[in-house]
């Protein structure tokens, strides 16, 4: 293949990519109408900062804020996701609310586990409650996410 042939092939590929990007932007809004923007606004209401330099992940202090406000956050997320459903989405309102409820439950269970894990000189009852919370939190967590080393450590070694 000649240089001009390869150049033409590259230009055609670039034209096709630009066309696909234009179509993508029509569907995935980046303005104040977008779902991501609305969900982020809910997090900002409880002073959660998304760490751009961590790939959009939340750090420990921000995860704590999510745990502290899980009832509010996930109820608001459900409302936003129900209203913002795209045409053709097969999820029902009940399914969206149920999924948000599962995440809310996971965060509440982890909050309980961490509150017992932080106790100084825990009583036997405190230890039993910690074990109940962490067992339930890991069970709920495993329905939604993979088990990370931190989850394993809380479950098996704290």
């Amino acid at each position: 293949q000649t240089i001009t042939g390869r150049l033409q092939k590259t230009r055609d590929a670039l034209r096709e990519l630009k066309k696909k990007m234009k179509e993508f932007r029509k569907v995935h809004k980046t303005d104040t109408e977008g779902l991501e923007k609305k969900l982020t606004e809910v997090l900002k209401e409880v002073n959660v900062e998304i760490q751009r330099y961590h790939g959009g992940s939340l750090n420990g202090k921000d995860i704590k804020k999510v745990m502290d406000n899980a009832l509010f956050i996930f109820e608001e997320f459900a409302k936003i996701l129900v209203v913002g459903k795209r045409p053709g989405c097969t999820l029902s309102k009940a399914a969206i609310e149920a999924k948000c409820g599962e995440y809310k439950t996971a965060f509440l269970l982890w909050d309980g586990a961490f509150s017992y894990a932080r106790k100084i000189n825990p009583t036997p009852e405190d230890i039993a409650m910690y074990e109940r919370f962490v067992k339930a939190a890991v069970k709920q967590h495993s329905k939604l996410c993979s088990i990370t080393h931190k989850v394993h450590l809380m479950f098996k070694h704290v």
Side-chain angles (χ1 to χ4, degrees):
Q1 205 177 34
T2 66
I3 291 176
T4 55
R6 285 191 281 178
L7 181 60
Q8 186 58 47
K9 192 175 181 180
T10 302
R11 285 181 179 153
D12 292 343
L14 180 61
R15 191 176 306 112
E16 186 62 28
L17 282 173
K18 285 182 178 180
K19 181 180 167 188
K20 287 181 180 179
M21 282 300 295
K22 189 174 183 179
E23 290 171 12
F24 178 84
R25 287 187 181 117
K26 283 181 187 175
V27 174
H28 299 88
K29 299 175 183 171
T30 56
D31 59 355
T32 58
E33 302 283 322
L35 287 177
E36 182 181 0
K37 175 83 170 156
K38 291 177 181 179
L39 297 173
T40 302
E41 289 300 318
V42 172
L43 294 174
K44 285 181 182 177
E45 283 186 50
V46 294
N47 299 314
V48 170
E49 295 178 38
I50 295 180
Q51 305 299 320
R52 300 287 179 220
Y53 53 89
H54 283 299
S57 300
L58 302 178
N59 66 25
K61 71 178 180 59
D62 291 310
I63 287 291
K64 178 76 174 103
K65 291 174 189 174
V66 173
M67 285 190 291
D68 290 344
N69 297 283
L71 289 171
F72 168 75
I73 290 170
F74 290 102
E75 287 174 12
E76 290 300 308
F77 279 8
K79 291 176 195 172
I80 292 166
L81 294 170
V82 166
V83 170
K85 265 181 35 167
R86 291 200 173 101
C89 177
T90 59
L91 292 174
S92 67
K93 177 183 178 190
I96 292 169
E97 290 171 344
K99 184 56 72 177
C100 288
E102 289 176 18
Y103 279 94
K104 174 174 60 178
T105 299
F107 274 91
L108 291 172
L109 289 169
W110 278 120
D111 190 37
F114 281 112
S115 70
Y116 278 99
R118 287 190 297 270
K119 286 202 172 209
I120 307 294
N121 300 319
T123 66
E125 294 81 18
D126 293 334
I127 294 168
M129 284 303 293
Y130 167 78
E131 289 171 349
R132 288 178 68 192
F133 267 108
V134 80
K135 184 177 179 182
V138 169
K139 184 177 180 181
Q140 185 67 17
H141 183 108
S142 67
K143 292 179 189 176
L144 306 167
C145 309
S146 60
I147 301 296
T148 64
H149 67 283
K150 290 178 183 179
V151 171
H152 168 79
L153 287 171
M154 282 291 289
F155 187 46
K156 295 290 185 180
H157 304 291
V158 174

